[in-house]
Amino acid sequence: MRKINLGLIGFGNVGCGVVKILRERKAFLAQRLGLEINIKKICDKDIVSKRNISIDKELLTVHAREIIEDPHIDIIVELIGGIHPAKEYVTEALKKGKNIVTANKALLAQEGQELFALAADRGKNIYFEASVGAGIPIIKSLREGLVANRFYSIFGILNGTSNFILSQMSHDNCTFNKALNEAKSKGFAEKDASLDIEGIDSGHKLILLTYLCFGKFVNLNDVFIEGISRISLADVNYAEELGFRIKLLAIAKKENNDLEVRVHPTLIPCRHLLASVDGIFNAIHVSSDLAGDLLFYGPGAGQLSAASAVVADVVDLTKDIKAGLFRPTLNIMADKSIKRLRSIDEFESRYYIRFMALDKPGVLAKIAGILSKFKISIASVTQKERRKSQIVPIVMIIHEACEKDLRSALRAIDQIDAIKEKSVAIRIEEV
Ligand code: HSE
């Protein structure tokens, strides 16, 4: 049986999963494809540490170029993550006529335009299903299953680690740091966990989804990104009392001829489907003109779920190579009605606000006075505790306000002597 040779760069958690699947399902895949997928070489900077699978030493190398320069390797799977040297490896591999499979969302979000253009120029493909939602086939669904659709919005929970932390806080009254440490020990978090909790990983994934839906490759600097690191257990509990759950949402939404692309903690009503997406699960809601509203849901991180997506890409590429086909995967029709990106300053929503104020007469009046100066209207207000002359939380929901006005108001409020901490504001999304 003819073989397709594969080189794997990055033999970590997901890499081991890929090897495991390709080995255990070898006969099954060969039967489906009429071709054998053969792992020819595996590269990692550490080939000494024990993995949970046994591997022939002959297959291992620390030199990525042994793979990139091997003329018999057809597909390179890049699983090292990060921008450098992944970008150099992918660039060289494309120039050597290889097809690429990657799970590297940071690389594609930041360097994708250049890499996709190079791939198209060389008649090769970069497949990246595992980069968003791990095993959830969202990329293939957008690219193929929904190919005839126009999109109104795509939004959802794209980072398993942040969702795990928020769920632990919400259900187990666990503190932020304890939940973060648990996510790290379970291997869900990025090497640099600030990418997860500061919303950057969600931003990377959102850039890819935005491109697939709207044909716009948005620069990371133009995506409004706010993470969950300032969310306290108190906010989670107060939101819950008000009938909301806090989720880190990534949102790309068409508003008339503008496109909003943003990532931030969001209060959503407890009855909304996304409110019950817990733990490392991801959920992506797609609103389209033909297929309507769709929800994709599943584990967003983890060895086998990510490896499942990598293997699916390898299988797709193998089919193309067998058929001698080049199917440009990213000839996406840009939505020409979109004229500009809308800045977060123009964004309008209801907000949850928490002030930490001295419990003394007149403080609330001062806060209300400043909000009124910026024409911001209060929907509800509760002082959460009574501690005379001590610091207490004041929780407010405000009616629709413009982000720019709210920020100006909060800056002024934070100058009041009796306000003892930077105020927290969380957007309420009418999803
Ligand atoms: N750190 C990522 C997450 C892994 O928690 O979602 C999957 O991309």
Short mmCIF file of all heavy atoms in Angstrom, two decimals, residues 60-85:
data_model
loop_
_atom_site.label_atom_id
_atom_site.label_comp_id
_atom_site.label_asym_id
_atom_site.label_seq_id
_atom_site.Cartn_x
_atom_site.Cartn_y
_atom_site.Cartn_z
N LEU A 60 13.38 9.43 16.45
CA LEU A 60 13.51 10.71 17.16
C LEU A 60 14.73 11.51 16.71
O LEU A 60 15.79 10.97 16.42
CB LEU A 60 13.61 10.46 18.67
CG LEU A 60 12.39 9.81 19.32
CD1 LEU A 60 12.69 9.45 20.77
CD2 LEU A 60 11.18 10.74 19.25
N THR A 61 14.53 12.83 16.69
CA THR A 61 15.64 13.73 16.39
C THR A 61 15.45 15.04 17.16
O THR A 61 14.31 15.38 17.52
CB THR A 61 15.76 14.05 14.88
OG1 THR A 61 16.83 14.97 14.68
CG2 THR A 61 14.49 14.66 14.31
N VAL A 62 16.53 15.77 17.37
CA VAL A 62 16.39 17.11 17.95
C VAL A 62 16.53 18.17 16.85
O VAL A 62 16.44 19.36 17.12
CB VAL A 62 17.43 17.38 19.08
CG1 VAL A 62 17.12 16.57 20.32
CG2 VAL A 62 18.85 17.14 18.60
N HIS A 63 16.74 17.75 15.63
CA HIS A 63 16.97 18.69 14.53
C HIS A 63 15.74 18.77 13.62
O HIS A 63 15.50 17.85 12.82
CB HIS A 63 18.19 18.26 13.71
CG HIS A 63 19.42 18.12 14.55
ND1 HIS A 63 20.02 19.19 15.18
CD2 HIS A 63 20.14 17.02 14.89
CE1 HIS A 63 21.07 18.77 15.87
NE2 HIS A 63 21.16 17.45 15.72
N ALA A 64 15.00 19.88 13.71
CA ALA A 64 13.79 20.03 12.90
C ALA A 64 14.11 19.95 11.41
O ALA A 64 13.30 19.47 10.61
CB ALA A 64 13.12 21.36 13.22
N ARG A 65 15.30 20.41 11.05
CA ARG A 65 15.64 20.43 9.62
C ARG A 65 15.76 19.03 9.01
O ARG A 65 15.60 18.86 7.81
CB ARG A 65 16.88 21.27 9.37
CG ARG A 65 16.44 22.72 9.32
CD ARG A 65 17.42 23.77 9.10
NE ARG A 65 16.70 25.03 9.25
CZ ARG A 65 16.44 25.62 10.41
NH1 ARG A 65 16.85 25.07 11.53
NH2 ARG A 65 15.75 26.74 10.45
N GLU A 66 16.00 18.04 9.84
CA GLU A 66 16.01 16.65 9.33
C GLU A 66 14.64 16.31 8.76
O GLU A 66 14.52 15.50 7.85
CB GLU A 66 16.32 15.67 10.47
CG GLU A 66 17.77 15.30 10.58
CD GLU A 66 17.98 14.23 11.63
OE1 GLU A 66 17.31 13.18 11.60
OE2 GLU A 66 18.80 14.50 12.53
N ILE A 67 13.62 16.91 9.32
CA ILE A 67 12.25 16.68 8.83
C ILE A 67 11.95 17.60 7.65
O ILE A 67 11.49 17.17 6.60
CB ILE A 67 11.24 16.90 9.98
CG1 ILE A 67 11.39 15.78 11.01
CG2 ILE A 67 9.81 16.99 9.45
CD1 ILE A 67 10.48 15.88 12.21
N ILE A 68 12.26 18.89 7.85
CA ILE A 68 11.92 19.89 6.82
C ILE A 68 12.64 19.58 5.50
O ILE A 68 12.07 19.75 4.42
CB ILE A 68 12.30 21.31 7.33
CG1 ILE A 68 11.44 21.65 8.56
CG2 ILE A 68 12.11 22.36 6.24
CD1 ILE A 68 11.92 22.84 9.35
N GLU A 69 13.86 19.07 5.60
CA GLU A 69 14.64 18.86 4.37
C GLU A 69 14.52 17.43 3.81
O GLU A 69 15.12 17.14 2.78
CB GLU A 69 16.10 19.23 4.63
CG GLU A 69 16.24 20.74 4.64
CD GLU A 69 17.54 21.24 5.22
OE1 GLU A 69 18.47 20.42 5.35
OE2 GLU A 69 17.59 22.44 5.55
N ASP A 70 13.73 16.61 4.46
CA ASP A 70 13.58 15.23 3.96
C ASP A 70 12.62 15.23 2.76
O ASP A 70 11.42 15.51 2.92
CB ASP A 70 13.02 14.35 5.11
CG ASP A 70 12.88 12.90 4.68
OD1 ASP A 70 12.81 12.62 3.47
OD2 ASP A 70 12.84 12.04 5.58
N PRO A 71 13.10 14.93 1.58
CA PRO A 71 12.23 15.01 0.39
C PRO A 71 11.10 13.98 0.39
O PRO A 71 10.15 14.10 -0.38
CB PRO A 71 13.20 14.75 -0.77
CG PRO A 71 14.38 14.05 -0.17
CD PRO A 71 14.47 14.50 1.27
N HIS A 72 11.21 12.97 1.27
CA HIS A 72 10.16 11.93 1.28
C HIS A 72 9.03 12.26 2.25
O HIS A 72 8.06 11.52 2.33
CB HIS A 72 10.79 10.57 1.63
CG HIS A 72 11.89 10.21 0.68
ND1 HIS A 72 11.65 9.94 -0.65
CD2 HIS A 72 13.24 10.14 0.84
CE1 HIS A 72 12.80 9.70 -1.26
NE2 HIS A 72 13.78 9.81 -0.38
N ILE A 73 9.18 13.34 2.99
CA ILE A 73 8.09 13.71 3.93
C ILE A 73 7.10 14.62 3.21
O ILE A 73 7.47 15.62 2.60
CB ILE A 73 8.67 14.34 5.22
CG1 ILE A 73 9.32 13.23 6.04
CG2 ILE A 73 7.59 15.07 6.01
CD1 ILE A 73 9.91 13.65 7.37
N ASP A 74 5.81 14.23 3.27
CA ASP A 74 4.76 14.96 2.54
C ASP A 74 4.07 16.00 3.43
O ASP A 74 3.69 17.07 2.99
CB ASP A 74 3.68 13.99 2.05
CG ASP A 74 4.27 12.82 1.27
OD1 ASP A 74 4.63 13.03 0.11
OD2 ASP A 74 4.39 11.72 1.86
N ILE A 75 3.86 15.62 4.70
CA ILE A 75 3.08 16.48 5.61
C ILE A 75 3.91 16.73 6.86
O ILE A 75 4.47 15.79 7.44
CB ILE A 75 1.76 15.78 6.02
CG1 ILE A 75 0.88 15.51 4.79
CG2 ILE A 75 1.00 16.63 7.05
CD1 ILE A 75 -0.35 14.65 5.08
N ILE A 76 3.95 18.00 7.28
CA ILE A 76 4.62 18.30 8.55
C ILE A 76 3.58 18.78 9.55
O ILE A 76 2.78 19.67 9.27
CB ILE A 76 5.73 19.36 8.35
CG1 ILE A 76 6.87 18.73 7.52
CG2 ILE A 76 6.25 19.85 9.70
CD1 ILE A 76 8.10 19.56 7.36
N VAL A 77 3.59 18.15 10.71
CA VAL A 77 2.69 18.55 11.79
C VAL A 77 3.52 19.37 12.78
O VAL A 77 4.48 18.87 13.35
CB VAL A 77 2.08 17.31 12.48
CG1 VAL A 77 1.21 17.74 13.66
CG2 VAL A 77 1.26 16.49 11.49
N GLU A 78 3.13 20.63 12.93
CA GLU A 78 3.88 21.53 13.83
C GLU A 78 3.11 21.67 15.12
O GLU A 78 1.99 22.20 15.13
CB GLU A 78 4.07 22.90 13.14
CG GLU A 78 4.83 23.92 13.96
CD GLU A 78 3.97 24.67 14.95
OE1 GLU A 78 2.94 25.26 14.55
OE2 GLU A 78 4.31 24.67 16.16
N LEU A 79 3.70 21.21 16.22
CA LEU A 79 3.01 21.29 17.52
C LEU A 79 3.94 21.85 18.60
O LEU A 79 3.84 21.45 19.76
CB LEU A 79 2.50 19.89 17.93
CG LEU A 79 1.43 19.26 17.03
CD1 LEU A 79 1.12 17.84 17.47
CD2 LEU A 79 0.15 20.09 17.04
N ILE A 80 4.81 22.79 18.20
CA ILE A 80 5.69 23.34 19.24
C ILE A 80 5.09 24.58 19.88
O ILE A 80 5.48 24.98 20.96
CB ILE A 80 7.13 23.65 18.72
CG1 ILE A 80 7.11 24.56 17.50
CG2 ILE A 80 7.87 22.37 18.44
CD1 ILE A 80 8.50 24.96 17.03
N GLY A 81 4.15 25.22 19.19
CA GLY A 81 3.51 26.41 19.75
C GLY A 81 4.43 27.62 19.68
O GLY A 81 5.62 27.50 19.36
N GLY A 82 3.86 28.80 19.97
CA GLY A 82 4.65 30.04 19.96
C GLY A 82 5.00 30.48 18.55
O GLY A 82 4.74 29.77 17.57
N ILE A 83 5.58 31.66 18.45
CA ILE A 83 5.84 32.23 17.11
C ILE A 83 7.20 31.76 16.55
O ILE A 83 7.29 31.37 15.40
CB ILE A 83 5.82 33.79 17.16
CG1 ILE A 83 4.58 34.31 17.90
CG2 ILE A 83 5.92 34.39 15.76
CD1 ILE A 83 3.30 34.25 17.16
N HIS A 84 8.24 31.84 17.41
CA HIS A 84 9.57 31.45 16.93
C HIS A 84 10.07 30.25 17.72
O HIS A 84 9.89 30.23 18.93
CB HIS A 84 10.55 32.62 17.07
CG HIS A 84 10.10 33.83 16.33
ND1 HIS A 84 10.07 33.91 14.95
CD2 HIS A 84 9.61 35.01 16.79
CE1 HIS A 84 9.59 35.09 14.59
NE2 HIS A 84 9.29 35.78 15.68
N PRO A 85 10.64 29.25 17.10
CA PRO A 85 10.99 29.14 15.67
C PRO A 85 9.89 28.54 14.79
O PRO A 85 10.14 28.20 13.64
CB PRO A 85 12.20 28.21 15.70
CG PRO A 85 11.91 27.28 16.84
CD PRO A 85 11.15 28.08 17.87
#
